[in-house]
Amino acid sequence: MAQVQRMSRLMIKTLRDDPADAETLNHKLLVRAGYVRRTAAGIWTWLPLGKKVLENITRVVREEMDAIGGQEVLLPALLPKESYDASGRYHEYGDLLFKLKDRKGAEYLLGPTHEEIFTQVVKDQITSYKDLPVILYQIQTKYRDEARPRAGVLRGREFQMKDSYSFDTTDEGLIEAYQLHRAAYIRIFERLGLDHRIVSAVSGAMGGSASEEFLAPAPAGEDTFADCPACDYAANTEAVTFRTTPVDGSAHGPVEELDTPDTPTIETLAAHLGVPASATLKNLLVKVDGEIVAVGVPGDREVDLGKLGEHLAPAVVELVTAEDFEGRADLVRGYVGPQGLEKVRYIADPRIAAGTAWITGANKPGTHAKNVVAGRDFEVDDYLDVVVVEAGDPCPKCGTGLRLDRAIEIGHIFQLGRKFADAFQLDVLGQNGKPVRVTMGSYGIGVSRAVAALAEQTADEQGLCWPREIAPADVHVVAAGKALQTELALDVAEKLAAAGVRVMVDDRAGVSPGVKFTDAELIGIPKILVAGRRSAEGVLELKDRRTGEREELTVDEAIARLTAQG
């Protein structure tokens, strides 16, 4: 028997107006409908209805993780600094970590993710290959000191996450665990009613041999992904690649210097010479762990610093400052060219292929050079895909122009390999009696982010519109009147609950039918059952929240219909 939630006793306060600081749909509606309350920047209180939605998502995740043999544990959120020193991630995370000391001066942090601690747990508990493979998971609060928390619960400093980890002795076992998780994630997001895309991703500081993201398309999304209309290619823009195609550069003349005063930018240079920006070579100077590095891209493209950072992780990438040019005669601000650079690593986008000729800086004030040919006049130390991907860029798989869309990251799976096992010397005794280094996978789902993603994808002009699997109730019974309607509404609610249907009933006294109807639309429970003008006849109105379809049913018909849907 399910319980009846009576709104006359429920702690809920709905709002007619959007919060002043809310920019995204989920932020506006989750606050207005009484699901969450802001405690501080990036920190949220989950109110009774919000907690039910969060727990319903957690239940689905737990069921599917258990189905693939996952074993649930609960690790501490307060973690010793030494564990993250051992992996190097205390430095890599930097300001994202919440750091603290106890009264004795020992250093700790609030866990942003738990690869290190899971590795240590397995090292302590498992000693033989006979105990592997194993999948461990937890559903727990994580902490990251976001510089600009935004979008409500979508990007908070405290958030709910499911993180799981697989441990095996072979790469084949890792691939099998990865595929098990991939299939489980598909089932989870289908059950939650989330429209999602699986896209290739970069592993970045996490390391490993393979990585995929699960993205929920939504205008509020912070990720941009590319997909091909002609084939099955899809990738986060940070993972999109461009094929390097060398060309014959023998026909290009020698390097020729050009007098180009007051042209320190691509725009001023192209205007001065009357050439398209695409004919020029842009050279961006950055510091990688303190060392100056030049990054070359076509002049009509921008360097994606996030993408560059992912390629070079765990190294820290930052832009150079005016001070970095001091004492460097080869670095002329606004007129840098790859030819003649001294002791500077040169990274180029694959579009700067061997044999291509460019107009670029001549490393002299007010001077550029043309016919500067890659592979003849300068060498590229590393080719990396570092430009900001644009709609229409060729698909790496078939060459068709790519489409771009915004999305919310709701899951990420990694084949970690042995990065963390190496850091903690995680070995087990193998079949031959010798130590074997364990290989790992890491798999995350943003549980609280899934709430925000669902709100973004399913809401309409009236309010939230939850899928049944995760809604705080199956049916919202509204008593649209006085004593007779309220009596009928409560009676129907009890009968539905007795049949196992989750019910919320609006039995609030002194609240007008108009306000109750507005709240029912805003709260977003899938079915709305109204005890209204025909209550004396035992007739109710059933409304589908998503489609807006209405029909009149007797009490018995309504109970039969709603019970059958369970």
Side-chain angles (χ1 to χ4, degrees), residues 7 475-481 485-486 489 504-507 512-513 515-517 519-521 527-532 535 540-541:
M7 288 187 69
V475 59
H476 187 153
V477 180
V478 177
Q485 287 87 349
T486 300
M504 184 163 74
V505 57
D506 193 343
D507 60 336
S512 71
V515 170
K516 289 184 178 182
F517 294 146
D519 281 350
E521 300 280 359
K527 299 291 183 181
I528 301 172
L529 188 63
V530 180
S535 293
L540 307 167
E541 181 184 78

Side-chain angles (χ1 to χ4, degrees), residues 131-144:
D131 300 319
L132 296 176
V134 68
I135 294 172
L136 302 176
Y137 77 95
Q138 65 172 348
I139 301 170
Q140 197 218 44
T141 303
K142 308 289 188 182
Y143 301 88
R144 293 178 190 173

Side-chain angles (χ1 to χ4, degrees), residues 151-471:
V153 299
L154 184 58
R155 190 175 185 86
R157 304 165 90 183
E158 175 186 279
F159 53 94
Q160 294 290 310
M161 180 178 172
K162 186 283 302 178
D163 52 326
S164 57
Y165 305 87
S166 63
F167 299 85
D168 209 298
T169 56
T170 66
D171 293 338
E172 292 77 15
L174 168 59
I175 293 171
E176 182 179 352
Y178 183 91
Q179 293 300 328
L180 281 173
H181 277 83
R182 193 178 194 273
Y185 277 33
I186 292 172
R187 291 192 298 271
I188 287 168
F189 296 131
E190 287 179 347
R191 286 182 61 182
L192 295 181
L194 272 167
D195 176 26
H196 67 280
R197 306 286 187 275
I198 305 174
V199 304
S200 300
V202 292
S203 298
M206 289 289 285
S209 58
S211 169
E212 289 177 296
E213 290 178 336
F214 291 74
L215 301 179
E222 294 179 316
D223 280 52
T224 302
F225 74 98
D227 71 333
C228 179
C231 71
D232 61 355
Y233 178 82
N236 187 300
T237 52
E238 292 182 349
V240 173
T241 58
F242 182 84
R243 297 175 184 171
T244 303
T245 306
V247 299
D248 183 4
S250 61
H252 297 300
V255 174
E256 180 182 343
E257 290 192 354
L258 306 171
D259 185 28
T260 54
D262 301 319
T263 57
T265 66
I266 294 296
E267 291 75 15
T268 55
L269 174 63
H272 180 83
L273 297 177
V275 299
S278 59
T280 68
L281 176 60
K282 180 185 295 183
N283 300 288
L284 179 71
L285 297 181
V286 298
K287 289 188 292 186
V288 179
D289 282 346
E291 295 294 325
I292 293 179
V293 173
V295 183
V297 300
D300 62 337
R301 305 301 290 261
E302 297 297 329
V303 176
D304 187 331
L305 290 174
K307 201 172 184 179
L308 179 64
E310 290 286 358
H311 280 303
L312 300 179
V316 176
V317 178
E318 54 188 339
L319 292 174
V320 297
T321 63
E323 289 75 20
D324 295 309
F325 287 89
E326 296 176 3
R328 293 293 302 265
D330 60 321
L331 301 180
V332 182
R333 197 169 190 176
Y335 298 91
V336 172
Q339 71 287 3
L341 286 179
E342 299 175 4
K343 298 180 181 179
V344 174
R345 177 185 175 191
Y346 193 74
I347 295 172
D349 186 79
R351 293 165 179 81
I352 317 300
T356 56
W358 304 90
I359 299 170
T360 189
N363 302 305
K364 300 177 182 178
T367 308
H368 283 81
K370 70 176 184 178
N371 297 327
V372 179
V373 179
R376 185 193 72 180
D377 303 308
F378 67 93
E379 296 296 330
V380 174
D381 294 306
D382 298 286
Y383 277 107
L384 298 175
D385 289 281
V386 293
V387 300
V388 174
V389 176
E390 297 177 356
D393 280 350
C395 169
K397 192 171 181 179
C398 73
T400 303
L402 294 170
R403 301 175 301 201
L404 299 183
D405 204 355
R406 303 291 294 174
I408 298 166
E409 182 184 341
I410 50 176
H412 205 152
I413 54 178
F414 299 88
Q415 292 182 29
L416 282 182
R418 295 173 173 82
K419 173 181 177 178
F420 291 93
D422 287 342
F424 293 95
Q425 298 183 322
L426 175 56
D427 297 328
V428 296
L429 199 63
Q431 286 181 289
N432 60 2
K434 296 181 179 180
V436 176
R437 183 62 43 98
V438 171
T439 185
M440 293 172 57
S442 173
Y443 319 90
I445 286 180
V447 175
S448 50
R449 287 175 71 88
V451 177
L454 277 165
E456 291 286 339
Q457 285 192 344
T458 62
D460 59 21
E461 293 180 356
Q462 283 71 47
L464 298 164
C465 193
W466 299 113
R468 186 176 184 275
E469 181 90 47
I470 63 98

Side-chain angles (χ1 to χ4, degrees), residues 7 10-19 28-37 47-49 462-464 476 504 506 508 511-512 514-525:
M7 288 187 69
L10 182 67
M11 189 180 75
I12 181 171
K13 179 182 179 182
T14 59
L15 305 174
R16 298 281 76 85
D17 298 319
D18 296 333
K28 295 173 183 177
L29 293 179
L30 289 173
V31 172
R32 283 184 53 206
Y35 283 78
V36 298
R37 176 186 177 275
L47 300 172
L49 290 184
Q462 283 71 47
L464 298 164
H476 187 153
M504 184 163 74
D506 193 343
R508 293 175 293 177
V511 178
S512 71
V515 170
K516 289 184 178 182
F517 294 146
T518 300
D519 281 350
E521 300 280 359
L522 178 63
I523 291 168
I525 291 169

